[in-house]
Amino acid sequence: MLKCFIEQTERSIPIVSLTAKQWDSWLAKQKPAAQQWLATLNFSVKPGSTVLLPGSEGQLDQVVLILNDAADFWSFGCLSCSLPPGHYHYVDINDEVFFHRAAMAWGLGAYEFTRYQAATKPQVQLLIPPTANIQALNAKVKAIYRVRDLINTPTEDMGPAELADTFVKLGKSFHASVKQIVGDDLLKENYPAIHAVGRASPREPRLLDLTWGDKNNPKVSLVGKGVCFDSGGLNLKSGSGMTLMKKDMGGAANAIGLAEMIMLLKLPVRLRLLVPAAENVVSGNAYKPGDVIKMRNGLSVEVGNTDAEGRLILADALNEADSENPDLLIDFSTLTGAARVAVGTEIAAFFTNKEGLASALLKNSEEAQDPMWRLPLYKPYQKLLESKIANLNNSASSSYAGAITAALFLANFIKEETHWVHIDFNAYNVAARPGRPEGGEAMAIFSLLGYLVKKYSA
């Protein structure tokens, strides 16, 4: 069990959660000493704010948290990193789903990346009652911790081989089938783009492949972009542009996280997880602007920009995943800065070719408070990917609509009838929010998991 949770304790401090509209009614019922304390503090009743109430002997007697609204579970995530050490429990939360989410926010707020330095957050623990599913809660929070740890780990310790180690260990823990195609074997197995992007690094590129579940169940395939570091290749990024490029495997991390949750919940699906893993760096044999790559599906692609590498390795993996005619195909990637410009860093942009699927994802996104926003697969922009010497160019001829043209590029490697979702996100919190510390982040996972549970659990 995670250190931030506890199942039994002799004493725990109550946490009362209120909306601003409920404040006056609650305050009127409190003892005069508590009312005087709050008046002395001149406590401002604003969403997200907390106040500590002392007991008669000066001990911490009660915590009050102000919520944005009755559905706001994320604000609980600010408590596990700010309260004094001790044991705590939630008061008057009778809805099981809300309690689960509020406890999850507590657990996610307690996260700290401690690989290179000692923990600094206080040791606070939330009491989980016997009626709650502590196993599911622990497992979900651990899966998000894994996603964050993978993204936060510098490339020196999280290259293609190290990412593969995590992949293999996860597969073994769920008795899944796992294989790797490494280095020049990628050419033998017809994955030319993954090889081209990763061949300049001494750390060999590879395709990681996991399958799990009854082969007679509906096929759900996940693909995650695993560029463990992106220098831009010969179209070299600036120094500031490379600062956070350890997170360019955030798509792989999120795909792994969702796969872990699917296997944990034992969803009745045939899961396949594909991660093309590579470093996009510079050496004498680096792929070059102007090169033409004959892709896995036979299309030729001119390399207009070596810094548009993510779509190349995804194309190989997506084409393989699509060859099995999955019931649903989802890919995750930190693909374009244009998506960040469109929706910012806190929202996952997504594309899909199916209207019903889009509506369902938006609904689940709202329910899970895990923001996603749809961008259009506007086919007339396909002309921006034209090449004079090949079927396609990996870099659009215009700087506009970069997220759309990247998605359209990927669409060339998937059948029109496939139910496909393409996620383009930041996978990184640039600033801390309740339950979401600064650093690597799981995005869109809870929205997608909610959709998958509804679709396949029955």
Side-chain angles (χ1 to χ4, degrees):
M1 185 167 65
L2 291 169
K3 292 181 179 180
C4 56
F5 298 130
I6 191 170
E7 291 185 276
Q8 293 181 339
T9 182
E10 292 183 1
R11 179 184 180 275
S12 62
I13 301 163
I15 297 173
V16 177
S17 52
L18 308 164
T19 64
K21 291 181 179 179
Q22 296 171 321
W23 174 260
D24 289 340
S25 175
W26 175 85
L27 183 61
K29 299 175 184 177
Q30 303 310 301
K31 296 177 181 179
Q35 294 177 348
Q36 181 60 46
W37 175 255
L38 290 164
T40 301
L41 291 178
N42 194 26
F43 177 61
S44 179
V45 184
K46 297 187 294 186
S49 59
T50 60
V51 63
L52 310 183
L53 298 180
S56 58
E57 299 180 3
Q59 80 282 10
L60 177 56
D61 187 61
Q62 189 174 193
V63 178
V64 181
L65 169 67
I66 307 301
L67 305 178
N68 287 281
D69 52 51
D72 174 23
F73 65 85
W74 277 116
S75 287
F76 290 90
C78 69
L79 300 174
S80 51
C81 59
S82 62
L83 292 177
H87 302 155
Y88 297 83
H89 69 272
Y90 294 155
V91 174
D92 295 333
I93 298 181
N94 300 315
D95 183 279
E96 290 184 12
V97 172
F98 186 81
F99 178 87
H100 184 87
R101 289 175 173 173
M104 184 183 66
W106 174 285
L108 295 180
Y111 170 83
E112 193 170 9
F113 184 58
T114 57
R115 180 162 182 166
Y116 305 104
Q117 61 181 5
T120 59
K121 289 186 176 180
Q123 183 63 57
V124 296
Q125 293 180 297
L126 179 69
L127 178 64
I128 306 297
T131 53
N133 189 340
I134 184 66
Q135 289 79 15
L137 179 62
N138 264 298
K140 285 183 180 180
V141 174
K142 283 182 178 179
I144 302 304
Y145 280 19
R146 186 195 303 278
V147 173
R148 292 172 174 177
D149 282 347
L150 286 171
I151 298 170
N152 287 330
T153 302
T155 306
E156 182 68 16
D157 293 320
M158 189 51 64
E162 291 78 11
L163 184 59
D165 288 342
T166 295
F167 195 93
V168 170
K169 289 176 183 176
L170 178 67
K172 286 183 178 179
S173 67
F174 286 99
H175 306 289
S177 172
V178 178
K179 68 177 183 178
Q180 299 184 53
I181 303 172
V182 182
D184 289 344
D185 285 344
L186 290 164
L187 294 176
K188 297 176 184 177
E189 298 291 336
N190 192 24
Y191 294 99
I194 301 173
H195 184 272
V197 169
R199 73 190 185 205
S201 172
R203 306 165 86 178
E204 292 182 300
R206 60 199 66 210
L207 178 66
L208 311 177
D209 190 349
L210 176 152
T211 54
W212 171 91
D214 190 328
K215 64 181 180 181
N216 296 314
N217 286 337
K219 294 177 183 176
V220 173
S221 296
L222 310 179
V223 177
K225 173 188 169 186
V227 177
C228 295
F229 190 82
D230 181 19
S231 72
L234 289 174
N235 290 113
L236 198 66
K237 294 178 183 288
S238 64
S240 60
M242 284 191 232
T243 301
L244 281 180
M245 281 300 100
K246 66 179 183 180
K247 79 175 184 67
D248 214 22
M249 41 66 69
N254 274 265
I256 290 170
L258 181 56
E260 182 172 354
M261 290 185 181
I262 289 171
M263 292 186 288
L264 162 75
L265 295 176
K266 299 180 181 178
L267 287 185
V269 299
R270 176 65 167 176
L271 173 68
R272 190 176 188 190
L273 171 63
L274 290 165
V275 169
E279 286 185 325
N280 185 28
V281 296
V282 177
S283 75
N285 69 333
Y287 81 122
K288 303 170 181 64
D291 284 354
V292 173
I293 303 172
K294 190 68 174 292
M295 303 293 285
R296 181 173 178 81
N297 68 343
L299 290 177
S300 56
V301 173
E302 180 184 4
V303 179
N305 192 317
T306 60
D307 198 18
E309 84 298 332
R311 67 199 67 182
L312 291 173
I313 66 171
L314 281 173
D316 268 359
L318 281 169
N319 187 244
E320 168 56 23
D322 192 49
S323 69
E324 291 191 323
N325 300 315
D327 192 58
L328 179 64
L329 173 57
I330 305 170
D331 78 78
F332 301 81
S333 60
T334 52
L335 202 61
T336 67
R340 309 295 81 73
V341 172
V343 299
T345 60
E346 298 177 6
I347 300 173
F350 80 95
F351 300 79
T352 181
N353 51 357
K354 305 299 177 186
E355 295 302 316
L357 180 54
S359 298
L361 290 178
L362 287 171
K363 181 179 179 181
N364 280 278
S365 169
E366 186 174 350
E367 289 176 358
Q369 297 182 37
D370 183 19
M372 300 174 66
W373 196 256
R374 187 187 187 189
L375 295 180
L377 277 168
Y378 184 64
K379 291 184 179 180
Y381 286 164
Q382 181 71 32
K383 63 179 179 288
L384 300 176
L385 295 169
E386 292 177 354
S387 165
K388 293 181 179 179
I389 62 171
N391 298 127
L392 291 168
N393 197 304
N394 79 324
S395 180
S397 58
S398 169
S399 60
Y400 295 117
I404 298 174
T405 54
L408 287 171
F409 178 88
L410 295 177
N412 286 277
F413 302 90
I414 299 167
K415 293 185 288 291
E416 185 77 24
E417 60 269 24
T418 301
H419 283 67
W420 168 52
V421 182
H422 164 57
I423 312 286
D424 188 347
F425 54 12
N426 200 47
Y428 200 91
N429 294 320
V430 297
R433 294 174 288 155
R436 291 153 292 191
E438 181 179 343
E441 187 56 288
M443 298 178 67
I445 282 183
F446 291 119
S447 299
L448 292 163
L449 182 66
Y451 172 77
L452 293 172
V453 168
K454 290 176 184 177
K455 181 175 175 62
Y456 296 110
S457 285

